[in-house]
Amino acid sequence: MKNIWLIAWKDLKGYFVTPIGYLVLTVFTVLMSWMFFSSVSNVLMSQQYGRPAPGDLSVVMQPVLGNMAVIFLLMGSLLTMRLIAEERKMHTLELIFTSPLRPIEIVFGKYLAALLFYGVMLAITLIYPLILKSVGTIHLSQVFAGYLGVFLLGASFLSLGLFISALTENQITAAAVTFGLFLFFWIIAWITGPSDSVAGKLISYVSIIDHLSNFIRGLIDTQDVIYYLSFIFFGLFLTTQAVESQRWR
Amino acid sequence: MIKVRNLTKLYGTVKAIDNLNFDVKAGEIVGFLGPNGAGKTTTMRILTCFMPATSGDVQVAGFDVFENAYEVKKQIGYLPEVPPLYGEMTVRTYLTYVAKLKQVERSHISQAVNRVIERCHLAEVQNRITGHLSKGYRQRVGLAQALVHDPKLLILDEPTVGLDPKQIIEIRQLIRELSGDHTVLLSTHILPEVAQTCQRIIIINEGKIVAVDTYAELSQQLRKTDKIELHLQKMEGAISKLKAIPGVIEVSAIPNQEHALLVECQVDEAIRNKISKTVVEQNLGLLEMKVQTYSMEDVFLKLTTDEKGTAS
């Protein structure tokens, strides 16, 4: 655990030695705030047209959470592109792999760094439900479910991104491939055929976005949780295999 | 300290190293000498558990590198070909981070870092960013990094590459100081380096060990024949007359030099005496006669070209 933390802390600090950490935080916060205000104004607008005020303000958060996932889809690859690719390029992989650490500790440490950074990104946006709470009633448990979904979705992306970063020494390649794969997992359900066919069910199950909708509506379904957790596990497993196998070649 | 048996490594179908066998005793400084691409780095990467071997056994400090990599890694300080620096860290934070990676006890870390900063003469750059350092300093930080946990075994891959002559002398001095309490295996393709720093030399070429011995022994062994350079006024009949002397193995004209001959004969002063007598008796006009000595470069060239693959 000490070793995982050692790697994680170094990489977490690493986000802030280049502008990338500040950039991602700033852009994400600005975009999310814009989306929050537009969601608030939409609700206010509909009230002007005579619709009743929502009894539960968590409906304001629903589109915000959905958009949060989209924004992270666009930015997530920036968090993982550097993690292993850069170590390979700078030859520091030789240092960490000849230190008394297990490969899995290295992979977990790097993943933890990305996850913590992502956690900070999400934590900043918690201010929106708090604002809503100060002006009306809001079921925070529903909002919490939404956040859990967005967090798990992002965590899945990060595990995939880490795997890609382990395959190359070029950050840009890592970012581009990761982004392409994110997008693919997102749009995979667009070709869904009749939803009762086996293929249709399968595609819908694989699609990373279909599992998010329940969370955003405030429902935590174990099937969705298991999907994301197995996605993460698989991503980390592949990453470990990739860093190990490079030494075998 | 190091025990290597039948070590082979294949990259695809290319044999990078082929059936290596050697030992390094505790406290020794051993030089790993070979041209570029001989398999030095590959061997070192296997010893440091960075890379597994295709076949063969390697033991470091009694632990198998494959089965007990964790223990082996604790014993080793490794300076790779390119110093593994994080360009954004200062020298001190970097060395502290490495100390933590190498599982140095928390209470000893700052002491250990101070020790290597002093030992590698890094005091004046300790708060500079490693990415901004000159090649010489980067190399020294790399060496400090390998020493920070006071390992029993140091593996240094071309430690003096890219340094200026003064720095090279300093680094060699430092390496010599390490002998005794540390075992050092260093690789190089520069010959004077091994002659100056190492007690024993392992010469490797195309993945095979060509020779393992001390410098003195190696140059001795090579002198199975004497080579004598002759400069004569008259060349007519000289070759046949010289060849007729018992003990003379080969006589040939030295290319690009007029009136010069190279006589290869058995190591025996009587034969040399006979050669000079013959030259004088035949009235060939002796201008110069000298015995060629072997420099380290010749040892190396001879071992890696003429006697390729025949371990002696």
Side-chain angles (χ1 to χ4, degrees):
Chain A
M1 193 60 217
K2 195 186 78 187
N3 293 334
I4 295 177
W5 186 244
L6 186 62
I7 301 269
W9 184 240
K10 187 224 126 221
D11 279 315
L12 196 58
K13 281 198 286 188
Y15 284 124
F16 297 99
V17 295
T18 58
I20 204 93
Y22 301 100
L23 210 68
V24 169
L25 280 181
T26 312
V27 172
F28 184 75
T29 311
V30 168
L31 290 176
M32 286 323 300
S33 300
W34 188 259
M35 282 165 177
F36 174 64
F37 285 118
S38 76
S39 180
V40 170
S41 67
N42 279 344
V43 172
L44 292 178
M45 278 288 250
S46 63
Q47 270 174 263
Q48 279 189 345
Y49 287 106
R51 293 245 200 100
D56 176 8
L57 286 176
S58 66
V59 293
V60 177
M61 282 307 289
Q62 282 181 12
V64 178
L65 286 165
N67 289 335
M68 205 182 288
V70 178
I71 301 296
F72 190 69
L73 162 85
L74 301 171
M75 305 180 79
S77 57
L78 297 176
L79 296 187
T80 53
M81 62 180 190
R82 194 168 184 268
L83 289 175
I84 298 176
E86 182 75 356
E87 299 256 10
R88 175 167 297 120
K89 194 173 177 194
M90 300 308 292
H91 300 272
T92 44
L93 217 53
E94 267 178 280
L95 170 67
I96 51 177
F97 273 110
T98 56
S99 296
L101 303 175
R102 280 175 295 160
I104 198 153
E105 291 177 319
I106 295 164
V107 170
F108 273 40
K110 300 210 157 269
Y111 184 61
L112 188 61
L115 214 54
L116 285 173
F117 190 90
Y118 180 49
V120 171
M121 286 166 72
L122 292 191
I124 292 171
T125 67
L126 285 174
I127 195 156
Y128 312 139
L130 292 178
I131 291 172
L132 293 174
K133 193 177 187 318
S134 70
V135 297
T137 44
I138 179 167
H139 290 128
L140 284 178
S141 60
Q142 297 225 348
V143 178
F144 168 75
Y147 267 101
L148 180 66
V150 175
F151 181 75
L152 285 173
L153 174 103
S156 309
F157 275 168
L158 292 175
S159 77
L160 183 65
L162 189 62
F163 170 55
I164 304 302
S165 182
L167 298 178
T168 171
E169 64 171 43
N170 186 318
Q171 293 186 38
I172 306 300
T173 311
V177 173
T178 306
F179 176 70
L181 281 172
F182 281 2
L183 210 55
F184 180 70
F185 273 103
W186 196 276
I187 63 168
I188 195 168
W190 289 7
I191 54 154
T192 275
S195 59
D196 53 344
S197 72
V198 179
K201 275 186 183 151
L202 190 71
I203 287 175
S204 155
Y205 185 75
V206 171
S207 164
I208 204 158
I209 195 71
D210 280 10
H211 292 274
L212 187 62
S213 41
N214 279 340
F215 283 107
I216 287 182
R217 273 185 268 125
L219 301 169
I220 301 177
D221 187 337
T222 38
Q223 196 196 323
D224 300 326
V225 176
I226 288 169
Y227 169 81
Y228 285 130
L229 289 182
S230 42
F231 197 107
I232 294 166
F233 172 80
F234 194 58
L236 294 182
F237 172 76
L238 286 180
T239 311
T240 315
Q241 294 302 308
V243 289
E244 286 263 22
S245 80
Q246 248 123 34
R247 297 157 56 224
W248 282 89
R249 261 185 255 138
Chain B
M1 183 56 82
I2 303 177
K3 205 164 150 190
V4 174
R5 292 290 174 273
N6 309 321
L7 184 67
T8 300
K9 172 77 188 176
L10 300 171
Y11 290 116
T13 54
V14 182
K15 263 190 186 169
I17 50 174
D18 189 4
N19 206 19
L20 295 194
N21 287 286
F22 65 88
D23 292 280
V24 176
K25 289 193 282 288
E28 261 189 319
I29 300 187
V30 174
F32 214 30
L33 179 65
N36 294 323
K40 298 180 302 251
T41 299
T42 303
T43 311
M44 291 188 150
R45 283 181 164 178
I46 293 169
L47 288 174
T48 54
C49 315
F50 183 68
M51 210 182 238
T54 308
S55 66
D57 288 317
V58 181
Q59 283 193 2
V60 173
F63 298 105
D64 188 282
V65 292
F66 193 71
E67 277 158 16
N68 223 331
Y70 186 82
E71 288 300 325
V72 171
K73 286 174 184 178
K74 279 207 263 187
Q75 316 288 335
I76 290 180
Y78 174 42
L79 171 62
E81 233 171 337
V82 181
L85 308 183
Y86 290 105
E88 73 275 6
M89 292 187 189
T90 66
V91 172
R92 181 168 276 278
T93 32
Y94 170 71
L95 292 173
T96 308
Y97 178 63
V98 176
K100 286 178 185 165
L101 277 180
K102 304 288 181 186
Q103 320 289 328
V104 175
E105 269 183 58
R106 191 165 281 273
S107 53
H108 295 147
I109 287 177
S110 76
Q111 195 190 337
V113 170
N114 286 335
R115 183 174 50 81
V116 291
I117 283 180
E118 192 193 336
R119 202 155 197 188
C120 301
H121 309 288
L122 291 167
E124 67 265 43
V125 295
Q126 58 175 304
N127 294 318
R128 299 244 317 258
I129 301 275
T130 59
H132 296 167
L133 295 177
S134 67
K135 176 82 180 128
Y137 272 123
R138 292 169 65 86
Q139 197 71 23
R140 279 199 253 170
V141 176
L143 194 60
Q145 162 278 129
L147 284 167
V148 73
H149 55 303
D150 202 20
K152 286 189 191 142
L153 174 63
L154 267 175
I155 295 187
L156 312 174
D157 200 347
E158 312 227 339
T160 57
V161 154
L163 304 184
D164 65 38
K166 185 169 162 278
Q167 293 167 333
I168 290 178
I169 292 167
E170 280 172 16
I171 294 266
R172 284 181 190 159
Q173 179 63 34
L174 184 62
I175 292 169
R176 274 195 297 269
E177 281 167 23
L178 294 171
S179 72
D181 28 326
H182 300 267
T183 310
V184 183
L185 178 66
L186 66 89
S187 78
T188 179
H189 60 269
I190 306 160
L191 302 174
E193 186 147 295
V194 277
Q196 286 176 26
T197 26
C198 305
Q199 293 150 354
R200 227 149 48 88
I201 304 171
I202 298 170
I203 299 185
I204 177 173
N205 189 43
E206 291 179 8
K208 288 183 178 152
I209 287 183
V210 189
V212 183
D213 225 320
T214 61
Y215 173 57
E217 281 292 319
L218 278 177
S219 33
Q220 193 63 43
Q221 264 185 17
L222 278 162
R223 291 197 52 184
K224 283 172 190 151
T225 61
D226 267 342
K227 279 187 181 160
I228 298 160
E229 215 177 304
L230 284 174
H231 292 260
L232 307 172
Q233 276 181 326
K234 285 191 280 181
M235 296 289 280
E236 298 86 56
I239 291 181
S240 59
K241 286 279 189 278
L242 286 168
K243 268 192 180 163
I245 302 167
V248 170
I249 300 159
E250 183 62 50
V251 182
S252 54
I254 297 175
N256 305 325
Q257 281 193 53
E258 270 182 70
H259 306 297
L261 291 175
L262 189 68
V263 181
E264 199 177 344
C265 63
Q266 285 166 10
V267 184
D268 188 348
E269 282 182 11
I271 296 172
R272 266 148 68 182
N273 192 13
K274 265 185 205 151
I275 292 171
S276 60
K277 262 189 190 156
T278 310
V279 171
V280 174
E281 278 166 11
Q282 299 296 322
N283 206 9
L284 294 170
L286 180 62
L287 298 174
E288 193 183 345
M289 175 174 175
K290 64 179 176 194
V291 177
Q292 284 188 344
T293 52
Y294 284 103
S295 67
M296 193 68 193
E297 270 81 2
D298 289 327
V299 174
F300 177 73
L301 275 179
K302 181 148 180 117
L303 283 169
T304 55
T305 57
D306 299 0
E307 295 182 7
K308 198 184 323 184
T310 56
S312 50

